[in-house]
Amino acid sequence: MATDISNGDAQAVKATTISSVAADFGGIASTIQSASPLMKNASVTIDSLYALNATDLKTAQQADFFCSGSTSRLLVTLTIPNLPPGRYVVAIVHATGVAQPQQMAIVLQNDPPASAGWKLAGLFVRPMSSAGHDGLWYWTEARKYADRKLNWNAFFYYQTAEYLLRPVDFLSSPNLEKLQKEATSIQPEGIPGAQPMQLTTAGKTFYINNIHTDGSLGGLDLVINYQTSSVANPVAVRAEIIELMKGILDQHPELRLAFHGLWVYANAPGQQRFAIELPMNQIAL
């Protein structure tokens, strides 16, 4: 199945998918289509397997599993919401030996129950590196920035490390919990979350909904999404984005040390969002 995914053979994957998921296969098909070019000619290996017995559930509900490997005492926790009764396997698969190595979390369900058959019940794909570095590198660099009190850089490097090291959101471990605790301890005030971040510059207040990192253009960029009234005038919205870029770098100049550039998305109701990416050396002081 992992080989079919890496080869982009969505039909072969769908043929071995449980009926409830196969009936709404568009999301998984899109994931396969996006990820398979990155895994072409990769070496596909199974990194770990977790066997989950949920046959004692009466209805679909959140299920918590506590697993340790045969050669390790490290406890891995899997918390899966709305899980129907049954037997499952979560396989963590690595596709390496390519420019952008990927990891897949493949959820299999014993179907039909008590048979020898296993079918796809869920698929999650994430990169194993960003801008040429893996999660452990970002964790190490985050600690260095934290030691220097450069908390904006540290926080987003911690976020990048967690994204690369956690193969799927419902899996946790003591190491990942330690990483989260370190990130929380230095999290800057005002980072967007439940409420947008307000940035006031040049007499204008911007409402920033999300900030994260992205390495798809080669270097590690800081990606900013903000809300605006309209993007109908490209010249005006470009000037607005440049003001936002200057403003955030003026308030947090340390960002120039840690990131290749800024990638800003302007989002307006009912309109296609407008984006600009600029390297740091092209954003004037």
Side-chain angles (χ1 to χ4, degrees), residues 2-77:
T3 301
D4 287 338
I5 294 167
S6 64
N7 288 337
D9 194 344
Q11 288 304 310
V13 176
K14 185 176 182 180
T16 54
T17 297
I18 62 173
S19 58
S20 60
V21 175
D24 187 18
F25 196 70
I28 290 179
S30 178
T31 296
I32 294 171
Q33 184 180 21
S34 299
S36 60
L38 303 175
M39 298 187 285
K40 186 177 182 181
N41 299 321
S43 175
V44 177
T45 55
I46 299 172
D47 181 69
S48 53
L49 288 168
Y50 301 101
L52 313 178
N53 188 344
T55 55
D56 58 341
L57 296 181
K58 303 303 181 184
T59 61
Q61 63 186 73
Q62 177 173 302
D64 299 307
F65 301 93
F66 304 94
C67 308
S68 60
S70 58
T71 59
S72 172
R73 294 184 180 181
L74 181 67
L75 189 69
V76 172
T77 305

Side-chain angles (χ1 to χ4, degrees), residues 21 56 73 76 126 135 150 156 253 255 259-260 269 279 284:
V21 175
D56 58 341
R73 294 184 180 181
V76 172
R126 284 188 177 178
L150 301 177
F156 289 108
L255 297 174
F259 299 98
H260 162 264

Side-chain angles (χ1 to χ4, degrees), residues 140-259:
T140 300
E141 294 301 303
R143 286 174 168 173
K144 292 178 182 178
Y145 282 125
D147 288 342
R148 297 166 61 189
K149 307 301 182 184
L150 301 177
N151 288 349
W152 271 69
N153 292 351
F155 181 74
F156 289 108
Y157 270 50
Y158 275 124
Q159 276 201 335
T160 305
E162 181 179 356
Y163 180 70
L164 297 175
L165 292 171
R166 187 189 302 275
V168 65
D169 285 341
F170 59 72
L171 184 150
S172 187
S173 70
N175 284 336
L176 289 169
E177 290 170 3
K178 182 178 181 181
L179 190 160
Q180 283 186 315
K181 185 176 180 180
E182 290 181 20
T184 300
S185 71
I186 55 86
Q187 180 173 337
E189 292 185 7
I191 292 291
Q195 299 296 324
M197 167 186 165
Q198 295 186 32
L199 173 74
T200 300
T201 181
K204 179 178 176 61
T205 298
F206 293 91
Y207 294 89
I208 298 172
N209 299 320
N210 177 266
I211 304 176
H212 63 277
T213 66
D214 187 284
S216 60
L217 296 183
L220 189 70
D221 283 330
L222 194 65
V223 183
I224 300 170
N225 277 270
Y226 78 100
Q227 198 68 31
T228 190
S229 58
S230 176
V231 294
N233 184 335
V235 175
V237 73
R238 179 180 176 86
E240 184 176 86
I241 289 175
I242 297 298
E243 286 299 328
L244 187 156
M245 288 179 169
K246 291 179 179 178
I248 200 165
L249 291 179
D250 180 57
Q251 294 185 22
H252 307 287
E254 69 190 72
L255 297 174
R256 292 183 181 271
L257 300 174
F259 299 98

Side-chain angles (χ1 to χ4, degrees), residues 267-280:
N267 299 270
Q271 301 176 44
Q272 185 174 358
R273 62 182 182 169
F274 185 96
I276 295 176
E277 190 273 345
L278 286 178
M280 292 296 185

Side-chain angles (χ1 to χ4, degrees), residues 126-138:
R126 284 188 177 178
M128 296 177 66
S129 65
S130 183
H133 299 291
D134 63 14
L136 289 176
W137 185 89
Y138 282 106

